[in-house]
Amino acid sequence: MSTPVWITATPPATRGELHIGHLAGPYVAADVLTRYLRAEGEPVRFTTGTADHASSVELRARQLGRKPEEVAEGYRAAIAADWLRSGVEFDHIVRPRRDKGYGRWVRELFAKLYAEGVIVPRTRLLPYCEPCERWLHGSHATGACPHCGAASDGGMCHECARPNDGGDLIGARCALCDTPAVARRCRRLYIPLEPFRETLADYWAAAGLPPRLAALCESLVEDGLPDIAVGQPARWGLAVPVEGFPEHRIDGCFEAAAMHLFGYGAAEPLPARAIHFCGFGHSFCHAVLLPVLLLAQGVKLPQDFNVNESFVIEEGVREGNAWALDLLTEYGSDTLRRHVLQARPLGRRTVFRRDRLAAARRELDENWNSWLSRLFAAVREECDGLAPQALPGGTGWEVLERRLHRAVDDLREAYGPDAFDPRRAVAVLDEMVRSAADFGHVNAHERCRPTTACRHLPALAAQLAVASALTAWARPVMPEGADRLAAALRVEPGRPVDWHALIPPLPGTRLAPPSGPVFGF
């Protein structure tokens, strides 16, 4: 059996629940590609994890007066539930504090890279909070990015995606007490990236990076690749396995990159291809640090990057009104998935607006569900609920069939990894449904012709063929509704997205339409 395509999505920090912006970013889109490839018979391994040891988790715990492990465990369970309810199905979700052997494996990788000289000690300035008596790294420090001037923490700027070393953060303050920080010399462990300049440049050139990510990587090379701190003076996280750093912990960015390797399977053969889904603000770990960990071990793995921009909350709408769990409960996974795919931020930020989410539900109700409801009602009234004894046909069927065949080619391209465009996929599916609904309206008048009996049955068979095809064609986008439709038609779910799916249920099959809407609710 060939090695699978490896698809990853950014491990979220377990400092809070998921909101709609997280779903609009890597998770639903990566699940769409995974489902499409699996339906095609392609072996896929879809992985992520939870960044339980992120500095933001410890900061949240301090703000709440709780233990970091309690915060991490509580939000990890909530995040996993959100993934499950939204239909995002991972093969492996790394749980840093639960997965057997994880901590040992990460520490052994860290120690190996230190022994080989990839990780080295450096003494640099780091913010320090005197009232709190602690070093400020990562989320514990706030200030302005030294590269773009945007608000940033002491590790990675989520606006320009460039790292800072903490000590170069402009106007650094303590995130907990808001006291201006004092810059002190601190000896930490680093990975100098400059020795990887040529191999990284070749790697990025071969990867065909998205334009904004390519601009980031080229600017890093142009400015001189930085040294990246991979250990921090802290109390939360995995202990640095190097003598001389007794109170240091492995940095969250290093651990996130290493987590991907552990999630795939450290002892398994490398995949033929890796596709990483991430937001631009997290792209440094995926496009720079992860390749360095591989290149340092002599591994060259073909990798692609699917990068989205940030999904911001509409002005006047509190973030708490956009929690994934609440919206999934109110709208269902079909509506939410198709909406975030339509609004998925590419090349620019996208604003979440509840009226557009409501419009997505209206599209399903007024076009998808209303057509299917009319179709099931017609089969019940005209054929006693059985698939008709007729081949697909009717006025305009040949034209519609040709149009659907062309649309399937467009749909396959939109679903495929080389031209992945889930927004286009949603648009194609909507056009298919509208065309089928129009066909049904036109041919409904055949029942009124007294001259020829059963002339309307081929049109019913044709519409059932389209409905049957949608169980395959729409499943990557809306798996819950597609599987519900497959059960109603008594057809196999999860078939490939191709024109062979355009076939009605066997004549005489008793259909079992659901009592409520097929897609959404």
Side-chain angles (χ1 to χ4, degrees):
M1 183 177 178
S2 61
T3 58
V5 175
W6 180 27
I7 298 177
T8 73
T10 302
T14 49
R15 59 178 173 81
E17 297 179 33
L18 295 183
H19 58 69
I20 192 171
H22 296 115
L23 294 182
Y27 306 119
V28 172
D31 184 74
V32 168
L33 178 58
T34 299
R35 289 178 182 276
Y36 170 74
L37 292 176
R38 283 188 175 141
E40 293 291 295
E42 189 85 34
V44 178
R45 186 159 178 79
F46 183 25
T47 67
T48 190
T50 53
D52 295 354
H53 296 140
S55 59
S56 59
V57 175
E58 183 186 13
L59 176 63
R60 185 62 181 272
R62 286 178 176 270
Q63 292 170 337
L64 297 175
R66 300 175 61 192
K67 295 180 180 179
E69 51 267 32
E70 294 174 348
V71 171
E73 181 61 24
Y75 284 123
R76 186 200 63 76
I79 288 169
D82 290 342
W83 281 331
L84 184 64
R85 293 193 63 172
S86 62
V88 178
E89 297 182 351
F90 293 100
D91 293 302
H92 187 188
I93 300 173
V94 178
R95 301 170 301 173
R97 301 183 62 78
R98 289 194 174 194
D99 281 17
K100 184 178 180 180
Y102 170 80
R104 182 181 68 254
W105 185 87
V106 174
R107 287 192 293 267
E108 287 177 352
L109 173 63
F110 194 101
K112 178 176 181 291
L113 295 176
Y114 177 79
E116 294 172 351
V118 177
I119 295 177
V120 297
R122 295 279 192 270
T123 299
R124 303 279 169 78
L125 294 177
L126 187 66
Y128 186 85
C129 179
E130 293 181 335
C132 294
E133 296 184 336
R134 62 193 183 95
W135 295 100
L136 305 180
H137 67 92
S139 296
H140 296 288
T142 63
C145 172
H147 306 290
C148 71
S152 177
D153 61 23
M156 199 69 59
C157 175
H158 293 295
E159 182 66 31
C160 70
R162 294 188 62 155
N164 66 75
D165 197 33
D168 53 358
L169 194 65
I170 301 172
R173 306 178 74 89
C174 176
L176 191 62
C177 71
D178 199 37
T179 300
V182 177
R184 291 187 177 181
R185 290 168 60 83
C186 180
R187 189 168 182 263
R188 292 179 287 167
L189 291 166
Y190 287 78
I191 293 182
L193 298 182
E194 192 61 27
F196 296 93
R197 167 188 285 269
E198 293 185 6
T199 51
L200 275 175
D202 291 343
Y203 169 82
W204 291 329
L209 302 177
R212 192 179 182 194
L213 183 55
L216 167 66
C217 294
E218 289 178 12
S219 66
L220 289 172
V221 172
E222 182 73 16
D223 297 344
L225 291 170
D227 297 350
I228 301 299
V230 293
Q232 307 288 357
R235 299 176 181 176
W236 175 244
L238 298 175
V240 165
V242 175
E243 291 186 5
F245 299 87
E247 296 182 357
H248 285 225
R249 299 294 183 267
I250 295 175
D251 184 75
C253 189
F254 178 94
E255 187 179 345
M259 184 183 298
H260 284 307
L261 302 179
F262 182 85
Y264 179 78
E268 297 183 24
L270 287 171
R273 182 181 188 183
I275 304 173
H276 302 296
F277 282 77
C278 64
F280 180 73
H282 294 277
S283 59
F284 184 89
C285 286
H286 290 264
V288 182
L289 195 53
L290 176 58
V292 165
L293 297 188
L294 291 168
L295 292 169
Q297 301 175 79
V299 176
K300 292 183 178 180
L301 174 64
Q303 299 182 72
D304 299 310
F305 299 90
N306 202 297
V307 180
N308 63 273
E309 301 291 337
S310 58
F311 195 92
V312 297
I313 308 302
E314 179 184 8
E315 187 176 353
V317 175
R318 293 186 300 107
E319 186 178 32
N321 291 335
W323 295 127
L325 178 60
D326 294 337
L327 294 174
L328 285 164
T329 301
E330 183 177 355
Y331 289 92
S333 67
D334 288 339
T335 302
L336 200 63
R337 283 173 68 105
R338 66 163 287 139
H339 170 65
V340 300
L341 293 172
Q342 279 184 305
R344 188 166 181 262
L346 293 173
R348 77 269 186 259
R349 288 179 172 175
T350 301
V351 177
F352 166 64
R353 293 175 49 183
R354 287 186 70 98
D355 61 330
R356 292 177 181 170
L357 179 57
R361 177 155 65 183
R362 285 196 302 272
E363 174 67 29
L364 290 178
D365 286 342
E366 295 175 4
N367 291 305
W368 291 62
N369 290 326
S370 63
W371 165 60
L372 290 170
S373 180
R374 291 193 304 273
L375 176 58
F376 285 130
V379 172
R380 181 178 63 252
E381 295 168 5
E382 303 296 327
C383 307
D384 195 29
L386 304 177
Q389 298 281 345
L391 294 175
T395 302
W397 171 241
E398 292 182 357
V399 174
L400 176 58
E401 189 177 26
R402 289 196 301 269
R403 186 177 300 164
L404 291 172
H405 279 218
R406 291 194 299 269
V408 168
D409 291 337
D410 199 0
L411 190 62
R412 288 176 59 83
E413 181 182 69
Y415 278 149
D418 297 326
F420 184 69
D421 187 356
R423 182 185 303 174
R424 176 61 184 157
V426 172
V428 171
L429 290 168
D430 283 343
E431 179 60 28
M432 289 175 165
V433 170
R434 292 191 188 102
S435 296
D438 289 343
F439 173 85
H441 281 302
V442 168
N443 282 274
H445 297 286
E446 293 286 2
R447 285 177 291 179
C448 302
R449 295 174 61 174
T451 55
T452 306
C454 301
R455 191 179 179 95
H456 59 286
L457 295 185
L460 289 182
Q463 292 177 78
L464 287 173
V466 178
S468 176
L470 283 177
T471 68
W473 297 348
R475 192 172 190 271
V477 171
M478 296 178 286
E480 184 177 8
D483 287 353
R484 192 180 293 132
L485 182 56
L489 297 174
R490 313 285 194 182
V491 299
E492 181 183 359
R495 291 171 294 164
V497 178
D498 58 30
W499 65 268
H500 294 290
L502 190 61
I503 185 171
L506 291 174
T509 300
R510 180 164 295 281
L511 306 187
S515 57
V518 175
F519 290 92
F521 55 78

